[in-house]
Amino acid sequence: MDKQLQDGLRRQILELRSGLLTQLAQQRGGVVGRAEAAAHFQHAEDSPAQVNTERDLEFALDERELSEVAELDAALQRLDTGSYGQCVDCSEPIALPRLQATPQVARCLACQTQKESQS
Ligand SMILES: [Zn+2]
């Protein structure tokens, strides 16, 4: 993967990460309107249907976002070690459009599908 492309993806990951951390901080602080956090959350998500009520949102958010932060961290680590862009399961290169859409993605589509069907 060329360096410029990799740098762009790294920036994208860092931005996603700081956005998530800001959201978490806002929730923990509890002062900044939750509606604002919710709006941000739904904006960041392509499937707002997953979250039905504000209550669900409240419960879902922390765990979900923490695991997203962990995924982003893992992706940054792969960038550092040079394994970024390779599927963690089969080591095949992950399709670029997939990386650009979801830069923290760890698996190629085939492995991801397989993993999801197993769990
Ligand atoms: Zn794979």
Side-chain angles (χ1 to χ4, degrees):
M1 184 181 299
D2 91 33
K3 174 110 172 57
Q4 208 181 344
L5 193 60
Q6 214 172 58
D7 284 350
L9 288 163
R10 181 192 294 267
R11 242 192 328 272
Q12 225 179 311
I13 293 170
L14 288 171
E15 270 169 34
L16 285 167
R17 190 173 182 281
S18 75
L20 278 169
L21 291 177
T22 304
Q23 252 173 283
L24 279 169
Q26 282 177 351
Q27 277 161 0
R28 298 252 157 99
V31 183
V32 181
R34 185 166 287 131
E36 195 183 317
H40 188 86
F41 178 75
Q42 291 196 334
H43 177 76
E45 266 301 311
D46 289 326
S47 48
Q50 277 184 337
V51 177
N52 295 321
T53 67
E54 205 179 331
R55 212 170 101 96
D56 283 346
L57 180 68
E58 207 173 320
F59 280 117
L61 223 50
D62 258 25
E63 197 183 337
R64 196 196 140 79
E65 288 181 352
L66 285 174
S67 78
E68 278 188 33
V69 171
E71 278 174 21
L72 292 164
D73 282 343
L76 288 170
Q77 226 165 49
R78 291 196 298 278
L79 274 166
D80 286 339
T81 58
S83 63
Y84 183 77
Q86 284 169 17
C87 173
V88 295
D89 284 348
C90 70
S91 302
E92 290 293 316
I94 299 170
L96 189 57
R98 181 168 164 78
L99 286 172
Q100 284 171 325
T102 321
Q104 72 273 34
V105 78
R107 288 180 180 80
C108 70
L109 192 57
C111 293
Q112 184 73 45
T113 308
Q114 201 180 20
K115 185 175 152 53
E116 276 165 16
S117 70
Q118 278 167 2
S119 55

